[in-house]
Amino acid sequence: MDDYVISTPEQLNLTYKMAGLGSRFLAFAVDTAIQLFLSVVIVISLSQLSTWNHNTESYLALIIVLYALVFHGYYMIFEILMKGRTPGKALVKIRVVLKDGRAADLSGLVLRNLIRLVDSLPFFYIVGILCMFINKDSRRLGDIAAGTIVIIDKKRATLDSILSRNTAEHNSRLTDHETAIIRDFLARKAQLSGKARFALAEQIALPLYERYGIPESQRENPESFLEDIYLGR
């Protein structure tokens, strides 16, 4: 899948790997399986409620409401609660973000999922799939309307763990000096060789790793870490 390059107001180019149709379909399959499981649980649970069984109209109305919640509210609810992910997206490590790389906001997530109804027409997301094939960034109609993209999410877990910490104990904001150093590195990283680029990124990231208590297992990509810290500053 092609890289997606974001130009920041500071004239920095940050690169993300776009999620392809395959990874998005796998996430969709996982989420659909969860939805089907939830629907079975709903049917079984409601069948045990004799009071509802004797009131057919109320029973059917409740079924419709719960099914609408499961099949139409599922993505919206999880993407809002899980910051651009659903259980399926989290499993295959992809995430919805804004086109400028920032975390998707509430209005964007709501809008992209409302238009999911159009993307799903006439069946099995034919409209959405065709739109993804035509659009160079693999965006369905909901993404275009909401200004979102879906990226491979290999570098967001570290940032999430930082920003979710108690800010009284761990100040997640960069100092002006740290911001300037990271901005300078990101601006000229393309001019550095691979080994020198990694070494410099690691040197800059090390004190931040230590400050935020980032475990060794999450320090494999210091350049991506610096990009995310810079965007989330």
Side-chain angles (χ1 to χ4, degrees), residues 161-201:
S161 66
I162 292 172
L163 298 181
S164 65
R165 293 176 185 273
N166 188 325
T167 54
E169 181 180 356
H170 299 280
N171 181 10
S172 62
R173 293 188 61 83
L174 297 173
T175 65
D176 291 340
H177 179 63
E178 290 168 337
T179 299
I181 291 176
I182 296 174
R183 181 173 59 239
D184 182 61
F185 166 75
L186 295 175
R188 62 189 186 91
K189 66 179 183 177
Q191 304 169 14
L192 304 173
S193 66
K195 186 175 294 186
R197 180 166 159 173
F198 180 87
L200 182 56

Side-chain angles (χ1 to χ4, degrees), residues 42-66:
I42 289 172
V43 171
I44 294 176
S45 299
L46 291 181
S47 67
Q48 306 302 313
L49 301 177
S50 58
T51 301
W52 287 104
N53 286 329
H54 291 303
N55 191 333
T56 304
E57 291 183 359
S58 298
Y59 181 76
L60 291 177
L62 182 59
I63 285 286
I64 291 172
V65 169
L66 292 177

Side-chain angles (χ1 to χ4, degrees), residues 24-40:
R24 292 180 70 167
F25 177 80
L26 180 57
F28 170 75
V30 172
D31 288 323
T32 299
I34 294 174
Q35 289 175 306
L36 292 174
F37 172 77
L38 292 175
S39 67
V40 171

Side-chain angles (χ1 to χ4, degrees), residues 20-21 24-25 28 112 115-144 150:
L21 186 59
R24 292 180 70 167
F25 177 80
F28 170 75
R112 80 183 297 272
I115 299 180
R116 181 181 294 276
L117 294 173
V118 179
D119 280 311
S120 64
L121 297 173
F123 58 88
F124 202 66
Y125 286 85
I126 295 298
V127 170
I129 291 173
L130 289 176
C131 186
M132 289 173 64
F133 272 115
I134 296 171
N135 186 274
K136 67 181 182 68
D137 296 323
S138 295
R139 302 167 74 200
R140 60 179 179 80
L141 293 178
D143 289 313
I144 294 173
V150 182

Side-chain angles (χ1 to χ4, degrees), residues 22-24 26-28 30 86-94 152-153:
S23 58
R24 292 180 70 167
L26 180 57
F28 170 75
V30 172
T86 59
K89 288 185 176 69
L91 182 64
V92 300
K93 294 182 172 61
I94 61 176
I152 294 177
D153 189 31

